[in-house]
Amino acid sequence: MNAPLPDVPDVRVVGLPQLTSGFDLVHRLDLPMHLKVHGALEPMVGERLADLAEAVSLNGRGGAHFPFAKKLRAVAKSAIRRGVRPVVVVNGSEGEPACRKDTVLLCRAPHLILDGALLAAEALGARQLAIAVTRDSTEASMREALAERGLSDRRGRGLRARVVRTPERMVSGEASSVVRAVNGGPSLPPGRKVRASDSGVAGAPTLLSNAETFAQLAVAARLGPHRYCNTGLTDEPGTTMLTVSGSVGRPTVLEVPIGTPLRYVMELCGAPPMPQAVLSGGYHGNWIDGLTAQGAIISRKALATAGGALGAGALLPIGPDTCPLGESLRVVNWLAAETAGQCGPCKLGLPAAAAGFSEVLGGGGPTSLEAVRQVTQAVRGRGACKHPDGSVRFIQSALQVFTDDLAAHVLSGGCGRPTQGVLPLPAPGYEEEGVPSGEKVAVDWTLCEGHGVCAELIPELIRLGPDGYPAVADATVPMHLRGRAQRAVRRCPALALRLEATATEQPAPTRRVLPRGGG
C-alpha cells in the first residue's frame, strides 16, 4: 500500500466548527469570505493578549504543548530588555507523513492563521513576520493570502511578511530548524540549544508557534474566554485538529472538541471495531493497545494517562490483519533515514537501532532484542535535537505494547501475518526534497547590475538588500529549489549568477549491524 496522504484530505467536524467554519461553503476562504464567516478582529495590547491565551489555557499545537501566554511574555520581556523589535514566525512546516491538519488550515483557512500571527505581531510591536511551509500547495495559499492583505517583504512597510519554504523532512519542523531556515540557512537543527524567545531570527527575540496555535488564538480573540471555554474540558478547553489515517476508510482531518471519545473518532473514520492498537501523536508518539484505546478520550492529559500522546494530533489505528511490528519496522527505517547527520546518536544510533529491530523480526532471538534495548537506552537524551528521542520513544513503545507479537517473532521467527503497509510514508523519490543538492548560489559582483530577477525567482535563497543588490543565503540549494535556481542563473540579464559545487564532505561511517551477541 504505502500511499502517501493527500495534501488536503477530507475534513469532518464533530460538534460546531470553529477553526473549520466556512469549509462547507467554499474550498478556500479568501479574505472577503473569511471576513463574512469570522468577522473583523480588533487588535489587543500585549498583556491583554497574554491574559486571553492564559484564560483559555492555549498551549502549542505542534507537539510540545508549551503554554502560549508564557512564550508571549518571554518574548516581550526579552525584547524590552534588549531594546530590539521581536519577530513572529508561523511554523507551518509539516514534514511528518502522518500529519496534515496544519496543511489543511494553511490551504483552506490561511487568513485565520494570519489573524492570530498579526494579533501577536501587533501586541509585541514586531515588524517582521515569516511563515514556514513545506509544500507547493501551502506555499501558494499563503503567498496569495499575503497578497490579498497587501503584505510583502518590501522595505518601508509597517510589517514585512514573507513565506519561507522548508524541505518536507521530519527534522525541518523543529523550532530551531525553522529559525535557521528563516535566517537563510539549511532547515536543520543547529546542534545547540538556544531559546528562540531570547535569540531567534537574526538574533532577535522570536515568537515561534505552530500554525494551528495562531488559528486558535484568532478564534479565542473573537469568541472571548467564556464562549471559547464552553467547548471542551474545563482544564483543556476548545477544539483540536486531528489527522486520522492508517487502517481507516480514508485519511481524514477532523476538528473535534477536546474530550471527545477516541472510540467515536475511530468509528467516524471507518477504523476496525477493535484495532490492535492506535498510534497516538504520530511517528514520535506512542502506541496505545486496542483495549485501552476504547476507553480513552481526546485530551493531552488523558492520552498521556493511557500511555499515549496527543503530540501533533496524528492518530493511526491498525487492524488485526497486519503485523504491527512489521508496520513499526517500516517507520523505524524511515526515521533512521531522516537523520540530520549532526550527532552520533542520530547518525549512528538510529540506523543501528533500525538494523537491530529488523534482526529481531527476522528471528534474531533474545540477544538481538536485548541489543536493541541497549542501543535505544544509549541514544535517549543524548541527541542534538529531538529527533533521536522521538524515534527511540516510538521503538520502545512498540516493544512494550506488542508483547505477544514480539514473543512470536523472538521465539518462533514470526507472527504469521503479512505487513500490509497501512502506516503512510512518503512516495519513493521524496528524498530529493529533503537533501541538499551539493551546490550553492554565487554572484559575480563585477557583473551584477541589481536587476532583481534572481530574488523574484528564488526568494527563499536570495533577497534584495537595502542597496537594491541581492543578498545571497550562504546555504546549499535544496533539491526542491534547484530547478528554480537554474532558471535564475539562465535568466540573469547580466550573466552574474552561477551555481557552484560546495566543499566535499567527509564520507559517513559505514553503518554497523548489531552483533548477535549484544550491544
Side-chain angles (χ1 to χ4, degrees), residues 52-143:
L52 170 68
E54 197 169 53
V56 301
S57 302
L58 179 60
N59 293 332
R61 302 302 175 92
H65 297 278
F66 191 84
F68 187 83
K70 187 175 181 179
K71 185 182 295 186
L72 189 68
R73 290 190 174 109
V75 173
K77 183 178 179 180
S78 181
I80 293 171
R81 184 181 70 249
R82 295 175 52 191
V84 297
R85 294 275 191 181
V87 179
V88 174
V89 176
V90 177
N91 186 359
S93 296
E94 201 167 39
E96 183 169 345
C99 291
R100 286 296 185 273
K101 53 106 173 174
D102 286 327
T103 299
V104 164
L105 290 175
L106 289 162
C107 288
R108 300 196 61 181
H111 289 284
L112 198 60
I113 297 168
L114 284 180
D115 278 348
L118 293 174
L119 265 180
E122 181 72 19
L124 291 169
R127 292 295 177 263
Q128 290 189 60
L129 168 65
I131 303 110
V133 297
T134 53
R135 298 183 175 89
D136 290 340
S137 57
T138 51
E139 181 180 6
S141 178
M142 293 312 297
R143 288 191 185 280

Side-chain angles (χ1 to χ4, degrees), residues 79-411:
I80 293 171
R81 184 181 70 249
R82 295 175 52 191
V84 297
R85 294 275 191 181
V87 179
V88 174
V89 176
V90 177
N91 186 359
S93 296
E94 201 167 39
E96 183 169 345
C99 291
R100 286 296 185 273
K101 53 106 173 174
D102 286 327
T103 299
V104 164
L105 290 175
L106 289 162
C107 288
R108 300 196 61 181
H111 289 284
L112 198 60
I113 297 168
L114 284 180
D115 278 348
L118 293 174
L119 265 180
E122 181 72 19
L124 291 169
R127 292 295 177 263
Q128 290 189 60
L129 168 65
I131 303 110
V133 297
T134 53
R135 298 183 175 89
D136 290 340
S137 57
T138 51
E139 181 180 6
S141 178
M142 293 312 297
R143 288 191 185 280
E144 185 177 350
L146 291 180
E148 288 170 350
R149 290 184 182 238
L151 296 172
S152 72
D153 197 25
R154 294 180 181 176
R155 286 185 175 272
R157 293 178 175 268
L159 177 73
R160 300 177 63 185
R162 58 193 171 108
V163 177
V164 178
R165 181 70 177 265
T166 61
E168 193 175 339
R169 296 195 64 197
M170 195 73 166
V171 295
S172 298
E174 187 166 326
S176 58
S177 299
V178 173
V179 168
R180 204 173 177 191
V182 175
N183 279 330
S187 299
L188 295 172
R192 63 185 185 280
K193 296 181 179 179
V194 179
R195 291 188 300 180
S197 59
D198 291 330
S199 179
V201 176
T206 299
L207 177 69
L208 186 149
S209 204
N210 165 263
E212 184 193 339
T213 311
F214 283 109
Q216 292 282 2
L217 182 66
V219 169
R222 284 184 168 90
L223 295 179
H226 180 71
R227 288 178 60 197
Y228 185 92
C229 293
N230 280 340
T231 303
L233 303 175
T234 303
D235 56 344
E236 293 184 53
T239 66
T240 191
M241 298 288 286
L242 304 172
T243 310
V244 182
S245 60
S247 297
V248 295
R250 64 176 61 186
T252 306
V253 168
L254 300 96
E255 182 184 9
V256 304
I258 296 175
T260 302
L262 176 59
R263 179 182 68 256
Y264 179 71
V265 172
M266 295 295 102
E267 291 175 357
L268 200 62
C269 296
M274 178 58 77
Q276 291 189 72
V278 177
L279 178 59
S280 61
Y283 295 159
H284 276 177
N286 294 326
W287 288 100
I288 305 174
D289 68 84
L291 188 59
T292 303
Q294 294 294 302
I297 63 172
I298 302 299
S299 156
R300 180 171 57 89
K301 292 181 181 179
L303 287 176
T305 300
L310 182 58
L315 297 172
L316 301 98
I318 57 170
D321 299 328
T322 187
C323 172
L325 292 176
E327 295 287 348
S328 299
L329 176 60
R330 295 174 59 250
V331 175
V332 170
N333 286 331
W334 179 80
L335 290 170
E338 284 292 286
T339 170
Q342 298 185 126
C343 66
C346 195
K347 190 173 183 179
L348 302 176
L350 293 186
F357 200 101
S358 177
E359 189 173 338
V360 169
L361 266 63
T367 54
S368 294
L369 178 59
E370 180 60 27
V372 172
R373 287 175 171 153
Q374 290 180 14
V375 170
T376 55
Q377 286 295 334
V379 168
R380 191 169 187 174
R382 296 179 56 207
C385 69
K386 298 177 183 177
H387 181 58
D389 281 357
S391 302
V392 162
R393 185 184 305 116
F394 176 84
I395 295 172
Q396 292 176 332
S397 176
L399 296 179
Q400 291 169 0
V401 170
F402 302 117
T403 51
D404 291 344
D405 297 271
L406 184 61
H409 281 276
V410 171
L411 302 177

Side-chain angles (χ1 to χ4, degrees), residues 5 98 129 131 205 212 395 448 461 477 490:
L5 300 186
L129 168 65
I131 303 110
E212 184 193 339
I395 295 172
C448 182
L461 299 173
V477 178
R490 291 194 300 267

